Amino acid sequence: MSHIRGRFQKAADELAVKYTSSLPFDWRLYRQDIRGSIAHARMLAKQGIILKEEAEIITKGLASIQKEIEQGKFQFKPELEDIHMAIEARLGELVGEAAGKLHTARSRNDQVALDMRLYVREAIAKTLTKIRQFQQALISLSEANKDVAIPSYSHLQPAQPVLLAHHLLAYFEMLQRDAERFSDSLKRTDVMPLGSGALAGVTYNIDREFLAGELGFNRLSQNSIDAVSDRDFVVEYEAAASLCTMHLSRLAEEIILWSSAEFSFIELDEAYATGSSIMPQKKNPDVAEVARGKTGRVYGRLMALLVTMKALPLAYNRDMQEDKEGLFDTVDTLLSTLEVFAGMVKTINIKTANTERAVNKGHLLATDLADYLVRKGEAFRSAYDIVARLVSYSVERGKSFSELSPSEFKRFSPLFREDIYNITVASSIASRDVTGGTAPRQVERALASAKKIVGLELKKR
C-alpha cells in the first residue's frame, strides 16, 4: 500500500494506507535496517553488481539518515508504509539515482527478516544482562541475611524452617533457567536470511558469507522459503519472556504477601511503594503488583503471535507484520521489570524479629520429630501418625512442642527422651545437609556457585 504502486493505476485508499501501515511501530528497526543496507551495499560493490563509488554514496547517505532519525529531524511520512520504504525514499532524496540500486538482489521479505533477527539478537543480549543484574541483587540480599530463618510454605501453609537465603536462591535458579533459554534461542536467531529474496533466492552473484561476516551471523539460512516466513525465533523470545515474567510474578506475589501486616517479614523501600489516595496509613507494594499484572500482558503477546502464525501458508504473508508490536512490547516489559526488580530487591529490609517469631511459631518441627522417632527405631509411617496425634494434642492445648513436658511426649511414644528438646529451628535447618538443601553449609556452596555464574568475585570468608 506504499508509494510503490507498480502495475496499479488507481491510488491507494487513504484509510487502507493508514490501516496497513507499520511505520508507526516498525520505525524502531531503523538501526537494524540501516546496518543491513550498508552491508548489502558493500556486498553489491564487492561483487561488481554496483560500482564502488555508488556503494560509498549509498553508505554515506544511510549514515546521514541514521543521524537524522536519532536527532529527531527525520520526517516519517504516513504514505510510506514501513521503515524500509521510509529510509529508501529519504535515501533517494539525499543521493539521487544511486539510491535506486540499493534494492538490487534484495526483497523487503528478506530485508525485514534480517532486521527482525538483528533486533531479537540484540534483545537477547540486553535481556541476559538484566537477568544477571537481578541475580546479583538476589545474591546480595541473600548474603546480607545468611543467618535469617523463615517458615517455608506449601499450599500457603507453614511447612518447615529454611534459611531465607535458600528461599531467595530458588529464584536465582529460576532466572538461571531463563538465561539458559534465552542463550539457547540465540542459536536459532543467529541465522542470516539476506539473499533469500522474495522467497526463491536471487539471480545475482551475491556473497552471502560476506554478508554474514559483516553482520556478525554465524550461520546462513538454508531454505529461502523458510527464511522469509520463519518467525520461530520471535516466538521463542516471547515464550522465554513469558516464563521469565512468570518467575518474576511469583516473586512479586511473595513480596506482596511478605510486606503485608499479616506476614510483616519485609519492609519495602519507599522508592518502590505508593500511598493511598484516601487511607493515610497505607504503604502499597505497587511495583510488585504492576509486575504481576504485566505478566498476563506478556502471555497475551505470545498467544497472539502463535495464533497469527498457526495457519499461514508459505511463504511471506502480510499478517506477519503483526509480529513487531507484540515483540517490542514484550522486550520493553521484560527489560523494565527485571531492572526495577533489581532495584527493589536491593533495598528490601528484612524484619528479622518477625521472621524469628514466625519460624518459632506453630509446629514447623513436626517432620523433625518424626525423623527423631525413626532414628530410634520406629517405622516412618508409624512415626508420622504418632507426631500427627501429638500435633493435635498440642493445638488443642495451645502449646508449641517446646512447651510440652517429657511426660506429655511419652504419652505418645516411649521412644521420646530428654534429647527431644535438642530439636530446634537451627538444628532442623542444619540437619538438611544434602546437595540443594537448606543447611548453612549447602547455602554457602550455593552462594559461591551463584557468584561464579554471574561473575562476581568471591568474598573472603
Side-chain angles (χ1 to χ4, degrees):
M1 304 299 293
S2 72
H3 73 298
I4 295 180
R5 298 296 291 160
R7 55 165 285 188
F8 300 106
Q9 303 301 314
K10 188 176 181 180
D13 179 82
E14 287 186 16
L15 180 59
V17 169
K18 185 177 180 180
Y19 180 73
T20 58
S21 175
S22 59
L23 188 56
F25 50 85
D26 73 8
W27 68 268
R28 289 180 56 161
L29 295 172
Y30 75 90
R31 286 189 303 103
Q32 292 80 11
D33 196 70
I34 289 172
R35 184 182 175 192
S37 290
I38 288 173
H40 186 65
R42 288 174 177 165
M43 183 276 295
L44 291 176
K46 172 183 172 292
Q47 296 300 101
I49 299 170
I50 66 174
L51 297 175
K52 182 180 179 182
E53 294 76 13
E54 291 172 325
E56 289 175 354
I57 291 170
I58 290 170
T59 297
K60 287 179 182 177
L62 290 168
S64 296
I65 291 171
Q66 182 161 339
K67 284 183 181 178
E68 287 182 2
I69 295 173
E70 292 173 349
Q71 292 172 359
K73 298 177 180 178
F74 188 88
Q75 185 180 357
F76 291 98
K77 299 176 181 179
E79 66 271 17
L80 301 175
E81 68 186 42
D82 55 36
I83 187 60
H84 323 294
M85 295 311 304
I87 289 173
E88 184 176 329
R90 179 57 178 153
L91 185 63
E93 294 172 354
L94 289 177
V95 306
E97 188 177 341
K101 297 190 176 185
L102 175 59
H103 210 56
T104 307
R106 187 176 68 171
S107 164
R108 269 192 298 174
N109 291 357
D110 60 352
Q111 185 178 0
V112 69
L114 172 69
D115 292 358
M116 290 294 282
R117 287 182 180 276
L118 288 171
Y119 178 86
V120 173
R121 199 171 65 179
E122 292 173 17
I124 290 170
K126 291 176 183 176
T127 303
L128 289 171
T129 297
K130 294 299 181 186
I131 287 175
R132 288 290 179 247
Q133 290 170 349
F134 183 41
Q135 285 179 311
Q136 289 172 1
L138 289 170
I139 291 170
S140 296
L141 186 61
S142 298
E143 280 220 300
N145 298 276
K146 281 193 293 189
D147 300 326
V148 175
I150 63 168
S152 63
Y153 297 83
S154 61
H155 309 279
L156 206 55
Q157 300 297 312
Q160 295 175 329
V162 297
L163 290 178
L164 172 63
H166 188 59
H167 188 103
L168 293 173
L169 289 175
Y171 287 101
F172 181 96
E173 294 296 324
M174 295 180 208
L175 286 159
Q176 186 56 28
R177 293 195 296 273
D178 293 326
E180 290 169 3
R181 269 185 284 270
F182 282 113
S183 294
D184 187 64
S185 71
L186 182 59
K187 292 184 293 187
R188 288 169 293 282
T189 303
D190 192 22
V191 178
M192 212 285 298
L194 205 57
S196 299
L199 57 85
V202 297
T203 60
Y204 297 86
N205 180 33
I206 63 171
D207 187 340
R208 299 191 71 206
E209 288 76 11
F210 174 84
L211 285 169
E214 287 283 291
L215 296 168
F217 285 100
N218 288 309
R219 289 192 294 150
L220 300 178
S221 57
Q222 297 300 301
N223 183 288
S224 58
I225 297 176
D226 178 58
V228 299
S229 60
D230 171 28
R231 293 298 183 271
D232 289 3
F233 61 98
V234 180
V235 173
E236 280 198 68
Y237 183 92
E238 293 186 358
S242 294
L243 278 167
C244 189
T245 53
M246 179 265 284
H247 295 149
L248 295 172
S249 185
R250 295 183 74 180
L251 178 57
E253 174 69 11
E254 298 207 296
I255 287 172
I256 293 163
L257 287 172
W258 288 357
S259 62
S260 68
E262 288 73 17
F263 278 79
S264 197
F265 287 176
I266 63 173
E267 181 79 22
L268 288 173
D269 189 274
E270 291 181 359
Y272 298 93
T274 64
S276 164
S277 65
I278 192 173
M279 295 170 281
Q281 83 280 10
K282 295 291 293 297
K283 185 177 183 182
N284 299 325
D286 279 15
V287 170
E289 290 176 353
V290 169
R292 189 174 58 181
K294 284 182 181 292
T295 301
R297 175 178 180 155
V298 173
Y299 290 0
R301 297 300 193 180
L302 169 62
M303 293 310 300
L305 182 55
L306 287 170
V307 172
T308 296
M309 296 298 297
K310 76 175 181 64
L312 292 185
L314 295 175
Y316 182 81
N317 296 271
R318 192 64 181 274
D319 315 48
M320 290 166 63
Q321 80 173 28
E322 291 298 309
D323 62 351
K324 295 170 189 62
E325 283 184 285
L327 173 63
F328 297 154
D329 187 59
T330 293
V331 172
D332 293 345
T333 300
L334 178 56
L335 294 182
S336 61
T337 304
L338 285 166
E339 186 171 1
V340 76
F341 262 50
M344 178 171 59
V345 166
K346 283 179 184 176
T347 58
I348 284 176
N349 177 46
I350 307 300
K351 301 169 82 168
T352 54
N354 292 343
T355 56
E356 184 176 358
R357 186 160 46 248
V359 85
N360 283 291
K361 180 182 176 183
H363 302 87
L364 293 179
L365 302 178
T367 305
D368 297 88
L369 265 63
D371 291 338
Y372 168 92
L373 292 174
V374 169
R375 285 191 289 272
K376 298 286 187 179
E378 192 72 65
F380 179 79
R381 190 50 64 196
S382 297
Y384 175 96
D385 291 338
I386 291 168
V387 176
R389 287 186 281 110
L390 183 61
V391 169
S392 297
Y393 174 88
S394 301
V395 169
E396 288 171 2
R397 286 154 182 77
K399 290 183 176 182
S400 65
F401 289 142
S402 61
E403 294 171 324
L404 298 177
S405 67
S407 61
E408 286 177 297
F409 274 111
K410 289 182 179 179
R411 218 185 271 182
F412 293 87
S413 173
L415 295 176
F416 283 121
R417 298 287 188 271
E418 290 288 337
D419 60 351
I420 191 64
Y421 298 105
N422 292 336
I423 297 177
T424 62
V425 168
S427 73
S428 173
I429 291 173
S431 68
R432 285 159 169 80
D433 193 13
V434 296
T435 300
T438 190
R441 188 171 75 96
Q442 298 298 334
V443 171
E444 285 284 2
R445 288 177 61 186
L447 278 168
S449 175
K451 289 178 186 177
K452 186 176 180 181
I453 287 171
V454 300
L456 292 178
E457 183 179 351
L458 292 175
K459 295 179 180 178
K460 292 182 179 178
R461 291 193 289 271

